[in-house]
């Protein structure tokens, strides 16, 4: 993960880097602040979370919980419990499991959009390719959310990219040629995948982002954007993000077949 040198942890201001949690709104798709309020709140340790299935690959984890404050309820008048488990495997694999429950007592359902706004560190964005999203339909935020179909055999970066890939596969790979490293992103319960890099013009316009930092970052974000998730009172939704880094060989300008996508 990566964070901007120009950002700081000063709630309620957002932190640019790491894995911000976008809830209950992704982007500006609603009346709330951009990406919702969850990423700007202080979470509590969850001392007694409902059990999750035992995973022997997990070596350490922490459970967090977020409940709405009075100010949050004024902005978004719904009661919820948001539980988050952050887990590490022996090889450094990272997983985030989100569980959101509707705790409204007045019988009202609620709907929300969501994303794990994951910032990846890359050597040089012009040498990076994203595989696994070929032939997928996407909404292009640079063109008024117009819908297109991905035509290339991989996503490469030559200018600003801000796309929401719809019904994306459960595995996506970020291949960093210079680092000879591949990040594998897995997802459950999240149908979409957002791909974003601000490029030079937008980077210069962001106060919490260095003018040239776009060269060394990329966001690939498991998300639920096109179709909001709706929960009735008492219902719970679960979504999961998995991250791992594996070596990737690079020879004569071509990568070996990406076995991790098919294994």
């Amino acid at each position: 993960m990566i964070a901007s040198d120009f950002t700081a942890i000063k709630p309620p201001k957002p932190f640019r880097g790491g894995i911000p949690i976008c809830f209950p709104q992704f982007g500006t798709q609603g009346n709330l602040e951009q990406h919702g309020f969850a990423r700007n709140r202080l979470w509590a340790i969850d001392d007694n979370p409902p059990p999750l299935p035992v995973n022997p690959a997990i070596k350490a984890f922490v459970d967090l919980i977020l409940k709405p404050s009075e100010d949050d309820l004024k902005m978004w008048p719904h009661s919820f419990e948001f539980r988050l488990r952050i887990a590490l495997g022996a090889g450094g694999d990272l997983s985030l499991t989100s569980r959101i429950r509707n705790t409204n007592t007045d019988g009202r359902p609620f709907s929300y959009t969501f994303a794990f706004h994951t910032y990846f560190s890359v050597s040089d964005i012009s040498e990076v390719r994203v595989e696994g999203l070929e032939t997928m339909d996407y909404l292009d935020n640079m063109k008024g959310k117009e819908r297109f179909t991905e035509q290339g055999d991989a996503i490469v970066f030559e200018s600003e990219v801000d796309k929401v890939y719809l019904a994306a596969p459960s595995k996506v790979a970020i291949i960093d040629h210079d680092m000879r490293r591949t990040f594998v992103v897995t997802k459950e319960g999240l149908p979409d995948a957002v791909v974003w890099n601000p490029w030079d013009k937008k980077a210069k316009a962001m106060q919490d982002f260095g003018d040239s930092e776009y060269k060394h970052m990329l966001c690939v974000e498991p998300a639920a954007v096109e179709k909001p998730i709706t929960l009735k009172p008492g219902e719970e939704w679960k979504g999961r993000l998995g991250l791992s880094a594996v070596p990737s060989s690079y020879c004569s300008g071509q990568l070996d077949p990406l076995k991790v996508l098919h294994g």
Side-chain angles (χ1 to χ4, degrees), residues 95 163 193 209:
S95 67
K163 299 176 179 179
F209 197 81

Side-chain angles (χ1 to χ4, degrees), residues 66-101:
L66 178 69
K67 296 180 181 181
S69 66
E70 290 186 5
D71 288 340
D72 294 337
L73 290 170
K74 291 176 182 177
M75 293 187 294
W76 196 66
H78 298 290
S79 181
F80 65 88
E81 290 179 349
F82 188 150
R83 287 184 158 88
L84 176 67
R85 172 168 289 187
I86 305 168
L88 283 173
D93 292 354
L94 175 67
S95 67
L96 276 67
T97 302
S98 289
R99 291 181 286 177
I100 298 171
R101 179 177 294 274

Side-chain angles (χ1 to χ4, degrees), residues 81-247:
E81 290 179 349
F82 188 150
R83 287 184 158 88
L84 176 67
R85 172 168 289 187
I86 305 168
L88 283 173
D93 292 354
L94 175 67
S95 67
L96 276 67
T97 302
S98 289
R99 291 181 286 177
I100 298 171
R101 179 177 294 274
N102 181 338
T103 57
N104 278 336
T105 58
D106 56 8
R108 290 184 302 152
F110 63 64
S111 299
Y112 59 92
T113 49
F114 182 97
F116 289 112
H117 196 333
T118 313
Y119 284 76
F120 290 94
S121 173
V122 299
S123 58
D124 181 345
I125 188 62
S126 63
E127 297 295 326
V128 168
R129 39 192 290 137
V130 174
E131 295 188 358
L133 298 172
E134 307 82 50
T135 74
M136 294 289 105
D137 285 356
Y138 64 87
L139 306 178
D140 194 336
N141 291 323
M142 301 289 295
K143 298 180 179 180
K145 297 183 173 61
E146 191 174 347
R147 187 169 182 142
F148 299 91
T149 300
E150 185 61 54
Q151 300 296 327
D153 59 358
I155 301 169
V156 295
F157 300 89
E158 299 173 341
S159 60
E160 181 179 353
V161 173
D162 189 356
K163 299 176 179 179
V164 180
Y165 288 84
L166 310 174
S170 60
K171 286 185 180 180
V172 177
I174 303 166
I175 303 166
D176 191 328
H177 294 178
D178 286 353
M179 286 286 191
R180 299 192 176 185
R181 176 185 64 195
T182 297
F183 288 116
V184 181
V185 182
T186 60
K187 62 186 182 70
E188 299 172 14
L190 293 160
D192 306 323
V194 179
V195 178
W196 178 67
N197 181 284
W199 219 249
D200 55 349
K201 185 176 180 180
K202 183 166 287 185
K204 291 176 181 178
M206 294 190 291
Q207 293 182 350
D208 59 350
F209 197 81
D211 290 355
S212 62
E213 287 187 323
Y214 75 92
K215 297 178 182 178
H216 306 295
M217 59 74 63
L218 174 65
C219 288
V220 176
E221 314 165 33
V225 176
E226 183 190 29
K227 298 178 181 178
I229 298 164
T230 299
L231 295 178
K232 297 176 182 178
E235 287 187 333
E236 183 178 86
W237 166 84
K238 182 170 75 172
R240 180 182 177 277
L241 160 70
L243 300 176
S244 60
V246 297

